[in-house]
Amino acid sequence: MKSVRTKLIASILICSLFTSVLIGVIAISNSVRTAGKDAMTMMQLTGQKKTEEINSTIQKIEQSVDTLSEVAMSNFDYDSFRQSKDYADTYTETVQQAVLDFANHTNGAVTVYLRYNPNYSNPTSGVFAQRQSVDSELQCLTPTDFSMYDESDVEHVGWYYIPVENGAPLWMDPYLNGNVNIYMISYVVPLYVDGESIGIIGMDIDFSQITGMVKNTKAFSTGYSFLYKPDGSIMYHPEMENGADLEQLGMTADEKARMCYARNAGHVEGFSSNGTKNSAVFYTLDNGMMVALSAPDSEITSDAVSLSAMMIGTC
């Protein structure tokens, strides 16, 4: 009788211990999973907030140039423009100060220009003003002479003909202006009257207006942010050259494709870099670029691992 009782008690104790262990394992697993999700959510929220900040800067630049294009063309006489190549020079005198004022009140504007269709104007007609440094005043310079270059010469006059061909406002790729040693990004608005090209108006913006915000966005201890184009070419990265490809980070072609697919924006994507597993969340900016926030998986899950060890230690 005593043996039966002992076996019953032992069975109850074993069942209780098993149940306790099972409940503990489930509790730890759920807690760790929740901690991991919280870490991912925090990274997503950080990326989303930074995207909104960058987009706000982009929108202010667009608004400035868009409004300037309306002001500059408000009293433009299209018939006179077609009839005399001297009209553009005369009209420029009436709008030049407004062009300069808008640029002076646009954060990061290094260059501003209003150029006319060379078919109806003199080859250097228009406004071209540039700062010699980010802290200097805008100085009016002689605009590029269209007569010296063919329309197909992208290096010298692509800044004019590409937006005209595009037919709509355009953000052009960043480039280094060797004259002032400033990395710039341009927003250009083509000007049309009744479907006829009048010219363009645009500003070159110090690219650090955007990259500075990206540079200051961190994730966990060693995580970082970077900018790239939808084709995977890097526009800013703390450890890579501008123009490098995402695959040079160690991404596979498939991982790169997922990072460049706009519908994946806001989702956490995994990739490997130099043998380290990473996770990244990216968003598409209003100028067409993509901004990503990345961190090693070991850091993202560190809180969850610590929580797991702590819970196990108290069991």
Side-chain angles (χ1 to χ4, degrees):
M1 189 70 176
K2 187 176 180 179
S3 177
V4 172
R5 183 186 302 171
T6 300
K7 290 181 179 179
L8 180 60
I9 292 173
S11 297
I12 293 173
L13 289 174
I14 292 173
C15 288
S16 298
L17 179 60
F18 176 79
T19 302
S20 297
V21 171
L22 180 60
I23 292 174
V25 170
I26 293 174
I28 291 173
S29 177
N30 288 338
S31 297
V32 169
R33 189 181 301 111
T34 299
K37 286 182 178 180
D38 288 346
M40 292 294 188
T41 299
M42 184 184 72
M43 191 163 73
Q44 289 173 311
L45 291 175
T46 300
Q48 186 175 15
K49 181 179 180 181
K50 186 55 58 176
T51 298
E52 292 171 354
E53 291 179 9
I54 297 173
N55 277 339
S56 177
T57 296
I58 290 172
Q59 289 163 8
K60 288 176 182 177
I61 295 169
E62 290 179 346
Q63 183 178 26
S64 180
V65 181
D66 290 343
T67 304
L68 175 57
S69 69
E70 295 174 3
V71 171
M73 292 291 102
S74 59
N75 296 310
F76 189 82
D77 188 331
Y78 176 58
D79 291 333
S80 296
F81 177 67
R82 285 179 58 89
Q83 293 169 9
S84 172
K85 288 196 171 186
D86 293 328
Y87 174 77
D89 295 322
T90 301
Y91 186 75
T92 296
E93 295 177 3
T94 68
V95 298
Q96 177 171 296
Q97 191 56 52
V99 172
L100 297 177
D101 288 344
F102 268 82
N104 280 322
H105 289 87
T106 302
N107 289 337
V110 179
T111 304
V112 62
Y113 38 90
L114 167 63
R115 299 303 310 273
Y116 303 99
N117 187 334
N119 293 328
Y120 302 115
S121 63
N122 294 315
T124 60
S125 293
V127 178
F128 176 73
Q130 186 178 70
R131 303 182 197 276
Q132 294 307 306
S133 70
V134 292
D135 299 319
S136 65
E137 295 294 322
L138 283 166
Q139 297 180 354
C140 288
L141 305 173
T142 302
T144 299
D145 187 339
F146 281 123
S147 65
M148 296 178 61
Y149 306 103
D150 187 82
E151 292 184 18
S152 61
D153 190 340
V154 176
E155 180 181 356
H156 292 99
V157 290
W159 51 268
Y160 177 86
Y161 289 104
I162 291 175
V164 170
E165 182 67 24
N166 187 61
L170 176 69
W171 280 96
M172 301 188 71
D173 289 346
Y175 70 99
L176 177 64
N177 185 318
N179 294 326
V180 292
N181 198 33
I182 297 175
Y183 212 65
M184 302 176 177
I185 186 170
S186 308
Y187 179 66
V188 186
V189 176
L191 306 172
Y192 286 88
V193 172
D194 296 331
E196 183 74 29
S197 172
I198 299 301
I200 65 167
I201 194 161
M203 292 185 193
D204 295 331
I205 307 297
D206 185 346
F207 198 37
S208 67
Q209 286 288 112
I210 296 175
T211 60
M213 289 186 283
V214 177
K215 183 178 180 179
N216 292 329
T217 304
K218 308 291 184 180
F220 305 97
S221 298
T222 62
Y224 56 84
S225 297
F226 57 96
L227 281 172
Y228 60 101
K229 293 170 61 178
D231 65 0
S233 57
I234 293 173
M235 296 289 98
Y236 165 78
H237 190 284
E239 300 174 353
M240 302 288 291
E241 293 283 340
N242 291 339
D245 191 88
L246 287 178
E247 291 187 29
Q248 292 177 248
L249 286 174
M251 292 186 187
T252 65
D254 184 57
E255 289 168 343
K256 170 186 170 180
R258 292 201 303 271
M259 287 287 291
C260 294
Y261 187 46
R263 290 189 179 181
N264 288 342
H267 297 162
V268 177
E269 298 292 337
F271 69 95
S272 296
S273 178
N274 298 321
T276 301
K277 291 184 177 180
N278 298 268
S279 290
V281 59
F282 73 90
Y283 296 89
T284 301
L285 297 172
D286 287 348
N287 66 352
M289 290 184 181
M290 293 174 165
V291 58
L293 185 62
S294 170
D297 286 355
S298 58
E299 291 185 15
I300 296 174
T301 60
S302 62
D303 287 344
V305 172
S306 297
L307 177 62
S308 175
M310 182 182 69
M311 294 183 71
I312 291 173
T314 58
C315 290

